[in-house]
Amino acid sequence: MKEVLSSDTPIGWIGTGVMGLSMCGHLIEKGYRLTVYSRTRKKAEPLLNSGGIWAESPKEVAARSSVVFTMVGYPEDVRKVYLGAEGILEGAKTGDILVDMTTTEPALSREISHAAMKKGVQMLDAPVSGGDVGARNATLSIMVGGDLDALNHVLPLLEVMGKNIVHQGPAGMGQHTKMCNQIVIAGTMIGVCESLVYGYKAGLDLETMLRSISGGAAGCWSLDNLAPRILKRDFNPGFFVEHFIKDMGIALKEAAASGIVLPGLALVHQLYLAVKAQGHGRSGTQALILALEQLSGMKR
Amino acid sequence: MKEVLSSDTPIGWIGTGVMGLSMCGHLIEKGYRLTVYSRTRKKAEPLLNSGGIWAESPKEVAARSSVVFTMVGYPEDVRKVYLGAEGILEGAKTGDILVDMTTTEPALSREISHAAMKKGVQMLDAPVSGGDVGARNATLSIMVGGDLDALNHVLPLLEVMGKNIVHQGPAGMGQHTKMCNQIVIAGTMIGVCESLVYGYKAGLDLETMLRSISGGAAGCWSLDNLAPRILKRDFNPGFFVEHFIKDMGIALKEAAASGIVLPGLALVHQLYLAVKAQGHGRSGTQALILALEQLSGMKR
């Protein structure tokens, strides 16, 4: 289909938040030539200092690259970066491959993929899980939707950023898989936080309680990783409340559009909106417990 | 405090359902002398055939034993077995230790414990997690409330039935810990089942989807153990829907009594009532997905 990737393959990167900085940084470390764009140039400085070349727009990144990665914020950012006047599709050339690693709407991924295909360009949706730690340690799980040949072509690049890279089907299926991931997490978070509220009020020693329950049928990542932070009242973000709200909102919108009722997810979404309304949008998702404590009139 | 346990210590067992049969069976295998009572004598036959001695009432079991275990069904069964006219406290003698392994109301455990203490008898609440498999393999997690000396005295017996045996505090705290366990599970179950409903409707290959999400932040026991059963449409019980409804009901009652609001648990409780109303009370807890599919008008 196209030349095999080499360290000479010109690669583009758009979006240099906490995740993007680490992920793009790994590619530069491996010796790839990166062209970089970010809404705020200052945020890209660490990459420019280690060899990345600045471009003035997504269009310019695409014009100079044969593979372009994006890791931006909200669906409207994704739309602008790909479909805007100075967007990627304005600069992309036949045979290019575009990889959106943002968590965004499956319908938007399909829309961009179709627009790209009209220019002979393949677009993959490849959202990740594993958070800032996974990005830093290159252990992200990457869920890919889109053309399988295109995935195989860029696989060596994805392998620099993550470990569990799975093709989930045509365009949008990577995003759908990420939604499944977030729906499970919504459940584990409400379970863990309500359990801690109950246990605290019951007068249990919460660490001792966790020793009884973490190894059994209640066992989950959130219990192992976030419950201990809650006990220390550490609400620093591993994953931002407001980003989780965005993801749950996407899942609920997709669910409603396809006639699916998700009462648990809807409730957790509402409770996280309360967490944000109470001023904790930039806290970690474990801050859910603050809204539950508030609901029960608990002062801690 | 009292003589060290030996194989001559007379031990009583009340309640021979799936769990009780396995647990009591392990004690008999280890060479202990067991006196056994069950509401339905026929259910105790396997134990009587392997050396257990039948008694005609809980009172008679207690009169013949210095340690008595109970593993019955609902709080009203626990009340009758301990406090009824032919109940354990009628037969118990100073120095005896009673161990209720049923999941029941923390307030009831405290009530029985206080009544027992008036007779110089210690009562421990020691509910378990790990299900039928944990009971069979003697790998149960046991959460204990009550007097620590009493626990240490019977510890060799508990170690025949389980592995992770943790003292959680005074009377009732074992039950409270079990409630924390069930609250987390309620969250993981709604998350896992809604995720599968969403993924199915989105057209994902669900096994491939699970490969992407099980190892990360969505990882949980329910995803590993129950999602695969759901994919096979296997609703055989590991843990009965109607028992889970009982447990969630206890947690919600305790929460309401102590002024705690648990919206997630309340929702999951309601959905499980729907599962039961639709005829699946004796199915496994993974049958939650049936009510969710019904809600969304899905026919599978």
Side-chain angles (χ1 to χ4, degrees):
Chain A
M1 174 175 129
K2 59 186 67 232
E3 291 168 43
V4 170
L5 276 175
S6 77
S7 58
D8 286 337
T9 307
I11 297 173
W13 192 280
I14 294 168
T16 54
V18 176
M19 300 291 290
L21 268 187
S22 292
M23 295 158 77
C24 181
H26 292 311
L27 291 172
I28 292 176
E29 277 163 35
K30 287 281 173 185
Y32 289 104
R33 295 196 296 132
L34 266 290
T35 299
V36 179
Y37 170 80
S38 186
R39 206 160 40 183
T40 317
R41 177 171 173 147
K42 195 171 162 43
K43 283 181 144 185
E45 292 290 348
L47 297 172
L48 304 180
N49 293 337
S50 57
I53 308 292
W54 179 253
E56 292 295 336
S57 68
K59 175 182 173 181
E60 193 179 323
V61 171
R64 290 201 226 150
S65 311
S66 59
V67 179
V68 179
F69 293 94
T70 52
M71 187 62 162
V72 298
Y74 291 83
E76 53 268 31
D77 303 320
V78 172
R79 177 176 292 281
K80 192 173 170 202
V81 159
Y82 278 91
L83 305 175
E86 291 293 307
I88 292 170
L89 286 192
E90 291 296 314
K93 307 151 308 294
T94 302
D96 285 354
I97 299 178
L98 315 175
V99 187
D100 184 21
M101 306 190 78
T102 318
T103 296
T104 185
E105 297 171 0
L108 178 58
S109 291
R110 287 196 299 274
E111 179 186 344
I112 297 173
S113 169
H114 292 154
M117 261 189 275
K118 286 188 191 151
K119 299 197 65 171
V121 172
Q122 290 287 353
M123 192 263 197
L124 301 171
D125 48 302
V128 305
S129 75
D132 53 342
V133 176
R136 212 154 46 232
N137 300 338
T139 54
L140 293 169
S141 186
I142 308 177
M143 314 155 203
V144 189
D147 183 73
L148 184 56
D149 287 335
L151 168 57
N152 285 330
H153 188 72
V154 300
L155 195 57
L157 301 173
L158 294 176
E159 284 170 345
V160 171
M161 303 179 236
K163 279 200 180 332
N164 184 30
I165 303 161
V166 183
H167 185 243
Q168 291 289 348
M173 289 306 197
Q175 298 298 347
H176 275 311
T177 302
K178 179 67 185 282
M179 291 302 119
C180 288
N181 189 72
Q182 303 306 70
I183 293 168
V184 176
I185 291 175
T188 65
M189 288 308 301
I190 186 86
V192 166
C193 289
E194 289 192 354
S195 165
L196 292 173
V197 166
Y198 177 99
Y200 176 80
K201 189 75 173 193
L204 287 168
D205 179 272
L206 296 179
E207 283 183 37
T208 309
M209 180 274 278
L210 291 175
R211 272 208 290 140
S212 271
I213 77 170
S214 337
C220 57
W221 187 95
S222 300
L223 201 61
D224 289 341
N225 291 277
L226 299 181
R229 293 193 204 174
I230 292 172
L231 297 200
K232 291 187 209 122
R233 309 304 282 178
D234 167 8
F235 297 111
N236 288 321
F239 184 51
F240 286 128
V241 163
E242 59 188 28
H243 287 169
F244 195 34
I245 289 173
K246 171 197 75 164
D247 295 355
M248 288 187 285
I250 293 170
L252 287 167
K253 185 176 163 187
E254 286 285 331
S258 65
I260 288 292
V261 180
L262 302 176
L265 183 66
L267 173 65
V268 177
H269 183 241
Q270 287 292 309
L271 290 169
Y272 271 102
L273 288 172
V275 176
K276 188 179 175 191
Q278 290 161 24
H280 308 289
R282 300 291 284 178
S283 294
T285 50
Q286 68 273 28
L288 174 60
I289 199 158
L290 298 173
L292 291 168
E293 289 171 352
Q294 190 91 350
L295 259 185
S296 291
M298 289 164 72
K299 293 193 179 61
R300 296 191 63 184
Chain B
M1 172 174 132
K2 58 186 70 231
E3 291 167 42
V4 170
L5 276 176
S6 77
S7 58
D8 287 336
T9 305
I11 297 172
W13 191 279
I14 294 168
T16 53
V18 176
M19 300 291 291
L21 268 187
S22 291
M23 294 158 76
C24 180
H26 292 312
L27 290 172
I28 292 175
E29 277 164 36
K30 286 281 173 186
Y32 288 103
R33 294 197 296 133
L34 265 289
T35 299
V36 179
Y37 171 79
S38 186
R39 207 160 40 183
T40 316
R41 178 171 172 150
K42 195 169 163 43
K43 283 181 143 184
E45 293 290 348
L47 298 172
L48 304 179
N49 292 338
S50 58
I53 308 293
W54 179 253
E56 291 295 337
S57 67
K59 175 181 173 182
E60 194 180 321
V61 171
R64 291 201 224 150
S65 312
S66 59
V67 179
V68 179
F69 293 93
T70 52
M71 187 61 161
V72 298
Y74 291 83
E76 53 267 32
D77 303 320
V78 172
R79 176 177 293 281
K80 191 173 172 201
V81 158
Y82 278 91
L83 304 176
E86 291 292 307
I88 293 171
L89 286 191
E90 291 296 313
K93 308 150 308 294
T94 302
D96 286 355
I97 299 177
L98 315 175
V99 188
D100 184 22
M101 307 190 78
T102 319
T103 295
T104 184
E105 296 171 0
L108 178 59
S109 291
R110 287 195 300 273
E111 179 187 344
I112 297 172
S113 170
H114 292 154
M117 262 190 275
K118 286 188 192 153
K119 300 197 66 170
V121 173
Q122 289 287 351
M123 191 264 198
L124 302 170
D125 49 301
V128 305
S129 75
D132 53 343
V133 176
R136 212 156 45 233
N137 300 337
T139 55
L140 293 169
S141 185
I142 309 179
M143 315 157 202
V144 189
D147 184 73
L148 184 56
D149 287 336
L151 168 57
N152 285 330
H153 188 72
V154 301
L155 195 56
L157 301 174
L158 293 176
E159 285 170 344
V160 171
M161 302 178 238
K163 280 200 177 335
N164 184 30
I165 303 161
V166 182
H167 185 242
Q168 292 289 349
M173 289 306 197
Q175 299 298 349
H176 275 311
T177 303
K178 179 68 186 282
M179 291 302 120
C180 289
N181 189 71
Q182 305 304 71
I183 294 168
V184 176
I185 292 174
T188 64
M189 288 308 301
I190 186 87
V192 166
C193 289
E194 289 192 354
S195 165
L196 292 174
V197 167
Y198 177 99
Y200 177 80
K201 190 72 173 193
L204 286 168
D205 179 272
L206 296 179
E207 283 184 36
T208 309
M209 181 273 278
L210 292 175
R211 274 208 290 140
S212 271
I213 77 170
S214 330
C220 57
W221 188 95
S222 300
L223 200 61
D224 289 341
N225 292 276
L226 299 182
R229 293 194 204 175
I230 293 171
L231 296 202
K232 290 187 210 121
R233 308 305 282 179
D234 167 8
F235 298 112
N236 288 320
F239 184 51
F240 285 129
V241 162
E242 59 188 28
H243 287 169
F244 194 35
I245 289 173
K246 172 197 75 166
D247 294 356
M248 288 187 285
I250 293 170
L252 287 167
K253 186 177 163 185
E254 286 284 331
S258 65
I260 287 292
V261 180
L262 302 176
L265 183 65
L267 172 65
V268 177
H269 182 241
Q270 287 292 311
L271 289 170
Y272 270 102
L273 288 172
V275 176
K276 187 179 175 192
Q278 290 161 24
H280 308 290
R282 301 291 284 179
S283 294
T285 50
Q286 70 272 26
L288 174 60
I289 199 158
L290 297 174
L292 291 168
E293 289 171 351
Q294 190 91 350
L295 259 185
S296 291
M298 288 163 74
K299 295 194 177 59
R300 294 190 64 182

